[in-house]
Amino acid sequence: MAGDGSDQRALQYEQTLMYGRYTQELGVYAKEEAARLRESGQRRSGDRSRTLDLLEYDKGRCAKCRICTVRCQKFLISRVGEDWIFLILLGLLMALVSWVVDFCIAICLQAQKWMYGGLDSNVFLQYLAWVTYPVVLITFSAGFTQILAPQAVGSGIPEMKTILRGVVLKEYLTFKTFVAKVIGLTCALGSGMPLGKEGPFVHIASLCAALLSKFMSLFGGIYENESRNIEMLAAACAVGVGCCFAAPIGGVLFSIEVTSTFFAVRNYWRGFFAATFSAFIFRVLAVWNRDEETITALFKTRFRLDFPFDLQELPAFAVIGIASGFGGALFVYLNRLIVQFIRKQKAINRFLMKKRLLYPALVTLLISTLTFPPGFGQFMAGKLTQKESLVTLLDNRTWAKQGIAEDFDYIGHSQAWKHPQLNVFVTLVLFIVMKFWMSALATTIPVPCGAFMPVFVIGAAFGRLVGESMAAWFPDGIHTDGTIYPIVPGGYAVVGAAALSGAVTHTVSTAVIVFELTGQISHILPVMIAVILANAVAQSLQPSLYDSIIRIKKLPYLPELGWGHHEKYNIRVEDIMVRDVRYITLNCCYRDLHNVLLTGHLKTLALVESAESMILLGSIERAQLQSLLSQQLGRPKRLEYIRERAAAEKKRLSVVSIPGSEDGGQRASQEVRFQISTEESSFSPTRPVPQKPLKPALKRPSVVERPTELPTSPQDNSGIALKNLFCASPDTEGLEDDGDVEDDMTIREIAEWEEKQLDEQVNFNNCKIDPAPFQLVERTSLHKTHTIFSLLGLDHAYVTSIGRLIGVVSLKELRKAIEGSVTVKGVKVRPPLASFRDSGTSSSENEATELHKLWDRHKSMSLPREHTPSESDEKSQ
Amino acid sequence: MAGDGSDQRALQYEQTLMYGRYTQELGVYAKEEAARLRESGQRRSGDRSRTLDLLEYDKGRCAKCRICTVRCQKFLISRVGEDWIFLILLGLLMALVSWVVDFCIAICLQAQKWMYGGLDSNVFLQYLAWVTYPVVLITFSAGFTQILAPQAVGSGIPEMKTILRGVVLKEYLTFKTFVAKVIGLTCALGSGMPLGKEGPFVHIASLCAALLSKFMSLFGGIYENESRNIEMLAAACAVGVGCCFAAPIGGVLFSIEVTSTFFAVRNYWRGFFAATFSAFIFRVLAVWNRDEETITALFKTRFRLDFPFDLQELPAFAVIGIASGFGGALFVYLNRLIVQFIRKQKAINRFLMKKRLLYPALVTLLISTLTFPPGFGQFMAGKLTQKESLVTLLDNRTWAKQGIAEDFDYIGHSQAWKHPQLNVFVTLVLFIVMKFWMSALATTIPVPCGAFMPVFVIGAAFGRLVGESMAAWFPDGIHTDGTIYPIVPGGYAVVGAAALSGAVTHTVSTAVIVFELTGQISHILPVMIAVILANAVAQSLQPSLYDSIIRIKKLPYLPELGWGHHEKYNIRVEDIMVRDVRYITLNCCYRDLHNVLLTGHLKTLALVESAESMILLGSIERAQLQSLLSQQLGRPKRLEYIRERAAAEKKRLSVVSIPGSEDGGQRASQEVRFQISTEESSFSPTRPVPQKPLKPALKRPSVVERPTELPTSPQDNSGIALKNLFCASPDTEGLEDDGDVEDDMTIREIAEWEEKQLDEQVNFNNCKIDPAPFQLVERTSLHKTHTIFSLLGLDHAYVTSIGRLIGVVSLKELRKAIEGSVTVKGVKVRPPLASFRDSGTSSSENEATELHKLWDRHKSMSLPREHTPSESDEKSQ
């Protein structure tokens, strides 16, 4: 049992060190893990003996053959553990999923067009068909997702960012979610709403990776390692973007920018490998399906290579970048505003909550009514699907010639942009404005959907608008000497698409995605300039869309240090730390424990040597302390006490006492009383809503199957917890069979007994202590603290001074310090106490004094190694 | 003084926490820093008062105007601190440098061609001109670099990797090095040897950043922050690659892959911003110089867009990837072999060391003789420069038609590949083979040079060879139905270039560089597949070229965890840690200190509470302990003792003692004796060669100017150090003027006195203690340890168990553990003690026992808070 304790502690420590888990179940999880490891060890040895048996049995016939088979099997199984096999499987799977989803979406969209086209005799019927179809699909998608797995709603990137930070989100990576996400996404995109598949694909790829991991763990043990799984999830995010756009490089970079704070270059190849393979298969499927002749880009452009743009066009590109920056920030703001408006309006909210599917249906109705081609849709190319719009926008022909849009030969889908009464500029402006708010609204529908693609299209339209204007302004191009190079508005569309999507997501890698999507890199400098400018503007105005959703969903996060806010280098930990640390001492009694648990609400508590020395020895989980306390005050302990008392009495009187008849009712009341006291100790009065324990998402199902074997924390189910503690405790094992002891104590007696128990000293022997919690010093800068917290995914860190605990910094303080000095609106506030820093010589004096004290204390203990000067004088002579 | 101590400690702590400095000078550096801060504070207040004076003086005339000017000035100065200004300046500077270097190289190469062309009447004169020119240039480059700054030799990427890991390399980022690197590089590349400019440009950009930082720090204080400087250096590396190839995206990615282990996504935009700006200016300069019409790629290709390659060509691309992997590994091996051969051959070595410039001259002579166009050069396109070769190799026309190379119309430089007797395949093979060993040899010349570009060209030639073979094999292309799409050998050249350079540098981002260099991304999938395969092969055979150089140069490094070596997840810290930790206790005497310093050789020592409890309180630098010891045994202390003794004697006898006349000589002998004893204590006998202190490279020159003000570590110059310690110690300040005390002790007396001094308890008050050294637990996995070490740039970490120090892990152990299990040759060895892990329950029992002990000890101290059960019983009733 002691060995398991060490296992658990180590496991737990490693997890807390690397990933600040937001769960109280950690102790339980660790025990489960240990139990599982033990069991798998037994199973393995069992396998071995069985193999040996087999060998002996078949010795006569074809033993060699069998040995060979067993070896081959072993070899294959060991190979299965290799990373690249996993990555190939993941890539293959995701390419298939992506292709199938695309195929289904295409069929859905075709069906709508077919219906709409077939009913051209009656406009009203046409309208009904145009509107009903998406409403039904979206409602089905919303309902299906709601019923099967509400976790599948939305983009998935914010949640993946949180998971990759080490936070365990419940039910987030299960098969149910996978099914809900894939089917929900297909229906949502099949409806033709301005929604994207990129965010959900990141989530789907992560789901695939998690499920594949689970499946592969049947073959090899390596799939049970958590840090490996996190690495695989990071690769999966890259695969998700990669196979969605057939953009392996952009996918890897985008997923890194969007999900990570610190990226291990070690993991780089994983992402590239899987994403390339996935993109390859995705495009090969298109070739095999005779859609394409060979592997090319998804939205291939054909701009001229020799003179892609003139140097004098660069200001126009810069304007696109800056405008996109403002537009991106506005999009994020609008999206958040809509969510918050719906939440705040309680009347609306209550109504919508009752009819959960009404909101999606209403939004879809509004949007599809506005895009109805014979209606308002004719002014904004409403009949084009997202893909068709993008293809036409990236076209390398100029729509507007000589300022008039008439003499452009509209072929194919490009015809949609032509309107008899309006010129192409008005159509484009209407398209941009309408699509802008429609996309912001549509992404709030509770279906699996992303915002990248709609934003991308809007950006392309904006770029095209600027490009067409430039082409109308300079019909023969700007270049002055010799050859005429007309302006290519398609190039502007590429730049606009990259800039706006970069501004919304706060990423630079949209530039790479754009190159991979169009298959041309000739506009690299304009794209880079526009993307960087857009990022600079957007980042100074709003958080990224994903961070905005993280804040709306109240997921744990750590804000980024912004662009060059160099005052961060001057704030120190001592300015932000909480000095009033809750701690327990090594020699404290259970009453102190009880008090600390009652007053504080931290998930872990510091263990110090004594209140005088304050030397930090480690940290203990709250749940651990709770279980210690309930063990001390629990029924088993009391029964033991009664038995001892009885034994003593027996000795004294030598008479067997007969159990009382009032036993049953009284016991129940005690049970209740005890439960109440546990409740009190586990939850502080300042926090009325108990924090929900988050389950580790990647844990194996076998653990879930046998919950009664595992001790759970007392607030979950005290009875079972106590029973477990009872069984698990080695020194009370003999008690279980001791049926002759009966609980005959009165309530007063119990209260007395509990008071007595509370005054005993705590025995930390069976308690899991994290012996090396992360430590900082007072003068560590905020900048470095932020780095360390995000590097190691910490939740809190203790501030020490020569081993003495003097403060604690948690994610909350850090967040406050960063956002306090740089608020979203750009107002900079000096952090409290920062002004005292320069004259802060007192702390070091304190340190010296404290060190002296410690030293004097040791001196007074008079250890044998100490010599007086006179002694040494004698010795040396 | 106490305040300064705290400053210093904090500074020092932060540095050790984040960057495992390989320097013993840290204490000194911290003191300098503190002194500087103090001084700048004074200067600032001085400024303020001067401004006020000015204002009062001019009150009558235009006070408001003046205030306004001062404010504007302040505003401008504060703006200078913004990151983006720095990055723009850096980008601009580097673009200019890159352009000027390119321009000079072009002139040099043209001059050679002109000389060679002008002497076409006489082959011997031609040969002389062809050979002498590069020999002179290379010899000058080598000599110039050697004399001005030997640090400028070589690529610079390995050193930058080391610096970014937090190691301070001496004299590596100075102006001298900058000059040497730029001029040396220009001459070396101007010679036409197969050398590259990419590695040196990374170094030059870092030099620029460091120098610019230094310059900018004249305006604002922010430039003095070290963690900011490290971030700027990372951005500078990206700029270096970016402006070298006009490849901003590839530059950023390549620099990340090559220099970082963990990358802060926060820094991403810095790199992109600066690299884009730099690439932009670099290309704009070309446009302004009328070299180009507009901004396009450096080596623009014109492959067809509609059908870049057939799916059935992919196996050929895969073959290029795998072959390039082997080739890359061979190149790294060959390069290392040459260096080691030259080093080992003592006779050669001794000769070459005497005539330092002989080796470069000989190598250049050999290479230029072989490339002499009328000689052997005619068979390997010897007259083409590197740039010309690359342009011809990436040509989109096919050289070999129908298997015969004759009917190809050789225009321009492509003619060089044609030889009347040989067909193009033989020329290409000869080119590849000759250039391969030439490049490997040329990069060992001690001039500033990189290997990227030569390798890139060889890769392109290899790709071209495969492409031409394919074109000869399938004259009408592979595509079967309908249109004929002939094979494009230029596309193969692109793939080959990316694959071979990726294999040599172990990077995937060469793919992106290739796209940016050629301006076409149509071959993205073949390039990605080939690069990934090449990386997979090369990484399993050899370290990257840069890691190989790091090992050759014996720079501190931490090997990477390879591709999917999942056994790493199963090794624990307890398997690799050193259990016999050198430590000092809080109550130790100077003799213990002396012994510890004599026997150990660690740079930092652990400070524990006592030998019994082993509670880790912090760590102390070796230099600190040495200074403590020398303070205790030093002359000032002895003088004080003499004075005290004299005072006591005076009191006793009331007679003034007259100083002895033998004073001078004796004092000298004492001085010598003391110096010897310091030497003994500072260097352990096990380490005969004293480690050279590395100077912090970014420190300000003002510090260097007044060395006598600053206390230096005793082994540098004992006399001055003691003087400084004497002056700096506040409690002995009064002593300085006390000229009446004379040193009249005999040697025997001194020995006695020293023995007595050694038995005193150590006073740690003025000693800088790092109160929170990094701690691990026994069961932390090797994988996580590696992550933490590379994340935080640690040098060592203590292993603790509930506050108790039980071991230490340093970079050395970690390196041994990783390389022990995965050696370069691919043999996997199980680490020692790994087998004991599974049954390792004993340690937890130990822990419990130790905790008990600690607890019992506290009990026995009987603190007032403890109650006996009977007491509490009474209270509760």
Side-chain angles (χ1 to χ4, degrees), chain A residues 331-343 552:
Chain A
F331 186 88
V332 174
Y333 179 69
L334 199 63
N335 184 280
R336 196 168 59 236
L337 210 65
I338 293 168
V339 174
Q340 282 171 349
F341 176 77
I342 301 271
R343 268 197 197 165
I552 288 172

Side-chain angles (χ1 to χ4, degrees), chain B residues 368-628:
Chain B
S368 57
T369 302
L370 282 172
T371 56
F372 182 53
F376 189 76
Q378 61 182 305
F379 306 114
M380 51 172 284
K383 75 173 180 188
L384 294 184
T385 64
Q386 223 169 64
K387 207 170 168 176
E388 286 162 358
S389 320
L390 195 54
V391 168
T392 52
L393 287 170
L394 298 180
D395 198 62
N396 61 338
R397 283 161 303 179
T398 310
W399 293 350
K401 278 207 181 102
Q402 312 291 346
I404 311 132
E406 297 314 304
D407 51 349
F408 159 56
D409 51 335
Y410 296 89
I411 332 155
H413 296 306
S414 298
Q415 217 165 358
W417 294 100
K418 186 195 173 185
H419 190 267
Q421 277 82 46
L422 297 171
N423 72 6
V424 82
F425 296 105
V426 179
T427 320
L428 276 172
V429 169
L430 276 177
F431 179 85
I432 294 164
V433 171
M434 298 303 286
K435 282 280 174 180
F436 195 85
W437 69 260
M438 280 179 186
S439 303
L441 181 63
T443 45
T444 64
I445 300 175
V447 293
C449 66
F452 187 90
M453 214 51 198
V455 165
F456 195 82
V457 173
I458 296 168
F462 176 66
R464 173 58 87 162
L465 179 66
V466 175
E468 293 290 341
S469 314
M470 287 291 285
W473 196 3
F474 304 101
D476 297 325
I478 302 178
H479 198 65
T480 45
D481 38 319
T483 354
I484 288 177
Y485 292 114
I487 281 166
V488 185
Y492 286 78
V494 168
V495 172
L500 192 63
S501 48
V504 168
T505 57
H506 285 199
T507 56
V508 191
S509 50
T510 51
V512 184
I513 292 180
V514 150
F515 301 137
E516 291 181 278
L517 270 183
T518 61
Q520 282 204 309
I521 204 170
S522 51
H523 280 76
I524 178 162
L525 271 178
V527 168
M528 288 304 296
I529 290 169
V531 166
I532 286 172
L533 286 175
N535 264 288
V537 173
Q539 287 189 19
S540 60
L541 293 175
Q542 283 284 325
S544 84
L545 181 63
Y546 306 121
D547 285 338
S548 164
I549 293 173
I550 283 180
R551 285 174 211 196
I552 287 171
K553 289 197 173 180
K554 296 208 169 57
L555 297 168
Y557 75 101
L558 185 61
E560 279 304 297
L561 293 174
W563 284 53
H565 294 298
H566 46 71
E567 67 270 27
K568 289 300 162 309
Y569 298 96
N570 295 329
I571 303 173
R572 306 278 173 189
V573 161
E574 58 186 341
D575 300 332
I576 60 168
M577 72 182 182
V578 174
R579 278 160 204 279
D580 178 28
V581 194
R582 304 260 150 212
Y583 61 89
I584 44 175
T585 57
L586 201 58
N587 55 353
C588 69
C589 57
Y590 284 96
R591 190 179 301 283
D592 303 327
L593 221 64
H594 187 246
N595 292 339
V596 164
L597 287 173
L598 269 178
T599 50
H601 56 278
L602 286 166
K603 279 179 286 293
T604 52
L605 283 157
L607 176 68
V608 298
E609 199 195 27
S610 67
E612 290 75 36
S613 76
M614 285 297 279
I615 289 176
L616 184 67
L617 296 180
S619 71
I620 305 184
E621 295 256 328
R622 189 188 185 79
Q624 283 292 319
L625 295 178
Q626 283 163 355
S627 101
L628 268 186

Side-chain angles (χ1 to χ4, degrees), chain B residues 55-266:
Chain B
L55 286 176
E56 273 183 54
Y57 178 76
D58 291 312
K59 212 179 254 169
R61 289 193 294 177
C62 50
K64 272 183 190 173
C65 174
R66 290 217 163 225
I67 290 173
C68 198
T69 316
V70 168
R71 270 191 196 156
C72 280
Q73 214 171 329
K74 264 189 190 167
F75 176 77
L76 278 177
I77 285 171
S78 74
R79 286 289 115 177
V80 164
E82 301 273 330
D83 285 357
W84 62 272
I85 299 213
F86 179 85
L87 293 172
I88 280 186
L89 283 178
L90 178 65
L92 194 66
L93 207 62
M94 279 310 294
L96 284 170
V97 170
S98 180
W99 190 78
V100 168
V101 167
D102 271 10
F103 193 76
C104 294
I105 291 169
I107 286 176
C108 284
L109 292 172
Q110 252 180 320
Q112 189 188 13
K113 282 217 168 166
W114 173 80
M115 280 212 305
Y116 167 79
L119 296 167
D120 55 356
S121 53
N122 186 329
V123 178
F124 181 70
L125 275 181
Q126 242 185 339
Y127 172 72
L128 222 69
W130 181 265
V131 162
T132 316
Y133 190 79
V135 168
V136 167
L137 274 177
I138 287 281
T139 314
F140 169 73
S141 172
F144 185 75
T145 318
Q146 193 64 48
I147 290 164
L148 197 64
Q151 293 84 4
V153 161
S155 160
I157 290 181
E159 287 84 0
M160 284 317 299
K161 187 171 186 173
T162 315
I163 288 176
L164 285 179
R165 205 185 174 276
V167 180
V168 176
L169 294 181
K170 195 180 164 187
E171 296 287 317
Y172 209 74
L173 298 172
T174 60
F175 186 69
K176 256 187 182 176
T177 316
F178 177 76
V179 173
K181 195 108 195 181
V182 170
I183 294 179
L185 180 69
T186 312
C187 294
L189 295 189
S191 71
M193 286 291 104
L195 300 171
K197 71 177 246 202
E198 169 256 26
F201 255 74
V202 168
H203 188 192
I204 291 173
S206 310
L207 282 162
C208 261
L211 296 172
L212 204 58
S213 252
K214 219 186 251 180
F215 174 73
M216 300 279 270
S217 67
L218 298 176
F219 301 101
I222 184 64
Y223 287 95
E224 288 155 18
N225 186 296
E226 195 186 348
S227 61
R228 185 179 189 274
N229 283 334
I230 290 272
E231 285 176 4
M232 289 302 164
L233 280 186
C237 291
V239 172
V241 186
C243 72
C244 174
F245 293 140
I249 302 172
V252 172
L253 300 185
F254 186 79
S255 73
I256 290 174
E257 280 195 90
V258 158
T259 58
S260 312
T261 317
F262 277 84
F263 189 73
V265 178
R266 187 174 67 215

Side-chain angles (χ1 to χ4, degrees), chain A residues 65-102:
Chain A
C65 174
R66 292 222 159 219
I67 290 173
C68 197
T69 317
V70 168
R71 271 193 194 155
C72 279
Q73 214 171 330
K74 264 189 191 166
F75 177 78
L76 278 177
I77 285 172
S78 75
R79 285 290 115 177
V80 164
E82 302 272 329
D83 285 356
W84 61 273
I85 298 216
F86 180 86
L87 294 171
I88 280 186
L89 282 177
L90 179 65
L92 194 67
L93 206 62
M94 279 310 294
L96 283 171
V97 169
S98 180
W99 191 77
V100 169
V101 167
D102 271 9

Side-chain angles (χ1 to χ4, degrees), chain B residues 259-323:
Chain B
T259 58
S260 312
T261 317
F262 277 84
F263 189 73
V265 178
R266 187 174 67 215
N267 282 351
Y268 208 55
W269 73 265
R270 276 185 240 271
F272 270 110
F273 182 77
T276 303
F277 189 78
S278 186
F280 170 64
I281 297 291
F282 178 60
R283 297 306 290 158
V284 161
L285 285 172
V287 175
W288 279 341
N289 198 39
R290 300 273 163 194
D291 292 339
E292 308 258 356
E293 241 185 328
T294 185
I295 293 176
T296 51
L298 218 53
F299 296 97
K300 203 162 53 183
T301 54
R302 284 180 190 81
F303 307 141
R304 61 164 186 266
L305 287 177
D306 48 341
F307 195 91
F309 59 94
D310 195 86
L311 218 56
Q312 294 163 61
E313 292 177 52
L314 285 179
F317 292 122
V319 166
I320 291 181
I322 292 167

Side-chain angles (χ1 to χ4, degrees), chain A residues 131-157:
Chain A
V131 162
T132 317
Y133 191 79
V135 169
V136 168
L137 274 178
I138 287 283
T139 314
F140 169 74
S141 173
F144 184 76
T145 318
Q146 192 65 48
I147 291 164
L148 197 64
Q151 293 83 4
V153 161
S155 159
I157 290 181

